[in-house]
Amino acid sequence: ATATIGVVGLAVMGSNLARNLASREGNTVAVYNRTTAKTDELIAEHPEAGFVRTTTVQELADSLQRPRTAIIMVKAGAATDAVIDELTEVFEPGDIIVDGGNALFTDTIRREAAIRDTGIHFVGCGISGGEEGALNGPSLMPGGPAESYETLGPILASIAAVAEDEPCVTHVGTDGAGHFVKMVHNGIEYADMQLIAEAYDLIRRGTGKSPAEIADVFQEWNSGELASYLIEITAEVLRQTDEATGEPLVDVILDAAGAKGTGAWTVQTALDLGVPVSGIAEAVFARSLSSRLGQREAARGLPGPSQEWTVDDPETFVEDVRQALFASKIVAYSQGFDEIAAGAAEHGWDIAKGDVAKIWRAGCIIRAQFLGRITEAYADDPDLSALLLAPYFRQALGEAQEAWRRVVVTAAQAGIPAPGFSSSLAYYDGLRAEQLPTALIQGQRDFFGAHTYRRTDRDGVFHTLWSGDRSEVSAD
Ligand code: NBP
């Protein structure tokens, strides 16, 4: 046995990850793919990698030094189950199977439990950064048994992205914790992208700037507190001209956004946990709305505002939009970290939220300067009740909130949809409210379903005899 690690599944992600692994000192990589032609193609294209060719899982197992470690990069779902079953047949106690695909965390929990008794370690590892990240350094979010991390940690650290001399990898928690955190990462990514799109739309329709001019705005924003990969690529996309028509590319791309499902998982999971991730949910819904082309076509005649909308001072407006974007982004991250905390509590994971922010600083799609602030916030106070209450974010929201309100009002008056900005503001105002109208909802629930309520002035549970004499009784 000569190989130090195996990669199973050699489509784009697996091939790139295998090449990344092979390029690091000390690694010899065995590769296996169900269709051997793909294995041979990869080996032929990259002789420099020194791959060990294997054509069956048995050959793969035989080629690996003990404890064996194999990373699976196949299609999430049934394919992953099939490969795990095959590997479990040929691996031995102490060996490690890593699933680097985009698995749903509950599948990871199930898979880990199913093979635990064999003594083989199963690690669900979130991998972010797309194809480019897999090749040059992704952000890695491994879960699974802590002891497997002793073997796996150094291998993953060798291929991870690096932020301020630290590899972007940490043992997130047991069983499905890594895939859970990766899921929330993707949810936050949806929110970030939606907020950026709203900012672009408002600026374009409010100031009449061209996409290329708005690219300049984003480029400038990228040197401030919003500095991030997504802002950077936004400028690039807006600057792109379509070869066929000479128009800005963004004007010829159909405005129907696709989705692979991880944003929806984040929201579905949050609903189950009772965590309000409204910013993320609006981002998922905004994509769904955009793709309902028939319905949008049918609704095109619905009336909008009667008054023409003009922005008096474009420079001030652009700055207001920047502040609204920053404030809404803080809300989205705060909600995402709430979901991580709730998931950890539900599933018994000990997740260091500051470390999660740390490993998102490079390699992944939401990498941003901002994440350093999140790490600092949790370092100062690991029990922070909400991220947005940390001094830095509290101050930023305080400074941005007037501009944020102006932008939301303007969007509503102008008839421009800004679901991310407006729902984040509503969340902010809901969270800071001394009194919410949910008292009335409790009254309604008690009226039609005798669901009872608590009182502000006394302990206990109460019910009003709505269909009787309307007196109040104790329902303890
Ligand atoms: P795909 O998701 O397209 O999967 C193709 C691979 O799965 C091929 O190697 C294929 O083998 C293998 N496979 C299938 Br399909 N069914 C199989 C089975 N029953 N048994 C064995 N192998 C099977 O590849 P990808 O786009 O490289 O993505 C790999 C994973 O990474 C996925 O889980 C995906 O969600 C995730 N991903 C992550 C990111 C990211 O940014 N983190 C980006 C893209 C993808 P064959 O060649 O024999 O058909």
Side-chain angles (χ1 to χ4, degrees):
T2 53
T4 51
I5 186 155
V7 176
V8 180
L10 302 174
V12 58
M13 291 294 290
S15 297
N16 281 0
L17 205 70
R19 287 172 58 200
N20 186 352
L21 282 161
S23 71
R24 311 292 162 156
E25 190 72 40
N27 292 340
T28 303
V29 185
V31 286
Y32 168 74
N33 193 67
R34 180 182 58 177
T35 309
T36 305
K38 264 196 205 158
T39 311
D40 290 335
E41 208 177 294
L42 176 70
I43 291 173
E45 277 173 18
H46 296 284
E48 79 288 351
F51 289 129
V52 177
R53 175 180 184 267
T54 69
T55 61
T56 62
V57 283
Q58 186 64 59
E59 272 181 39
L60 176 75
D62 293 344
S63 76
L64 289 167
Q65 292 171 11
R66 289 184 176 77
R68 301 179 179 91
T69 306
I71 304 183
I72 305 174
M73 290 303 287
V74 302
K75 205 172 170 66
T80 305
D81 281 313
V83 173
I84 292 169
D85 286 348
E86 287 172 37
L87 285 176
T88 318
E89 290 286 308
V90 294
F91 273 24
E92 293 168 353
D95 292 348
I96 304 169
I97 299 174
V98 183
D99 174 20
N102 266 337
L104 180 59
F105 75 96
T106 45
D107 284 341
T108 304
I109 292 175
R110 169 180 60 77
R111 288 166 180 151
E112 201 274 335
I115 70 165
R116 195 182 299 157
D117 287 347
T118 64
I120 298 169
H121 299 298
F122 182 72
V123 175
C125 180
I127 302 185
S128 176
E131 292 173 35
E132 203 270 340
L135 183 60
N136 296 316
S139 169
L140 297 167
M141 295 152 252
E147 53 185 302
S148 63
Y149 197 67
E150 281 166 32
T151 308
L152 195 58
I155 299 171
L156 295 182
S158 76
I159 57 164
V162 175
E164 290 172 31
D165 296 330
E166 287 179 281
C168 290
V169 59
T170 189
H171 180 244
V172 176
T174 52
D175 57 59
H179 275 136
F180 185 94
V181 161
K182 169 64 178 16
M183 173 188 76
V184 175
H185 163 284
N186 284 30
I188 292 174
E189 176 185 314
Y190 274 62
D192 247 341
M193 293 168 73
Q194 172 64 21
L195 296 170
I196 290 171
E198 289 177 22
Y200 150 74
D201 198 23
L202 283 159
I203 293 174
R204 185 150 189 204
R205 290 161 72 174
T207 68
K209 284 180 191 288
S210 69
E213 286 166 335
I214 303 173
D216 293 339
V217 171
F218 278 102
Q219 206 171 331
E220 197 187 312
W221 289 359
N222 201 35
S223 58
E225 56 201 353
L226 281 169
S228 60
Y229 171 72
L230 282 169
I231 293 281
E232 182 190 321
I233 65 161
T234 298
E236 300 231 6
V237 174
L238 289 174
R239 219 183 284 289
Q240 184 75 12
T241 303
D242 174 44
E243 274 181 20
T245 60
E247 297 292 319
L249 179 68
V250 75
D251 286 347
V252 296
I253 294 179
L254 185 71
D255 59 352
K260 282 208 192 150
T262 45
W265 288 349
T266 311
V267 179
Q268 283 161 349
T269 304
L271 289 171
D272 289 340
L273 292 167
V275 185
V277 293
S278 45
I280 298 170
E282 287 297 348
V284 175
F285 288 143
R287 290 197 194 183
S288 314
L289 185 151
S290 79
S291 296
R292 296 170 72 84
L293 295 172
Q295 213 175 32
R296 286 175 57 198
E297 178 73 40
R300 206 141 294 161
L302 289 174
S306 50
Q307 279 192 336
E308 191 69 11
W309 175 49
T310 51
V311 163
D312 298 332
D313 177 356
E315 223 170 280
T316 308
F317 181 68
V318 168
E319 174 56 15
D320 276 3
V321 171
R322 188 189 69 81
Q323 303 236 28
L325 174 54
F326 191 50
S328 305
K329 180 179 165 103
I330 293 171
V331 166
Y333 280 70
S334 193
Q335 293 179 342
F337 276 90
D338 277 353
E339 183 165 347
I340 290 175
E346 173 78 16
H347 298 284
W349 299 319
D350 183 16
I351 300 182
K353 296 193 279 298
D355 288 351
V356 170
K358 242 185 187 177
I359 63 170
W360 288 348
R361 284 177 306 168
C364 66
I365 305 295
I366 64 171
R367 59 187 182 255
Q369 210 182 55
F370 179 82
L371 288 154
R373 299 288 187 178
I374 300 179
T375 303
E376 281 166 25
Y378 285 117
D380 289 348
D381 181 2
D383 301 319
L384 201 56
S385 124
L387 178 63
L388 58 72
L389 297 175
Y392 172 80
F393 296 114
R394 188 188 278 264
Q395 190 184 338
L397 288 169
E399 285 168 8
Q401 58 119 9
E402 297 287 359
W404 194 8
R405 293 181 195 287
R406 282 193 295 274
V407 170
V408 169
V409 167
T410 304
Q413 283 177 336
I416 298 173
F421 285 0
S422 50
S423 80
S424 309
L425 180 58
Y427 172 86
Y428 171 77
D429 283 332
L431 202 59
R432 64 178 198 87
E434 213 157 289
Q435 178 117 42
L436 289 168
T438 33
L440 175 59
I441 292 172
Q442 284 297 80
Q444 293 164 331
R445 294 179 68 238
D446 190 56
F447 187 102
F448 64 67
H451 292 304
T452 72
Y453 50 85
R454 286 179 293 150
R455 297 181 54 100
T456 56
D457 56 354
R458 263 182 282 148
D459 284 343
V461 181
F462 302 92
H463 167 57
T464 291
L465 300 169
W466 295 103
S467 49
D469 64 0
R470 302 213 164 182
S471 60
E472 184 177 79
V473 294
S474 167
D476 273 331

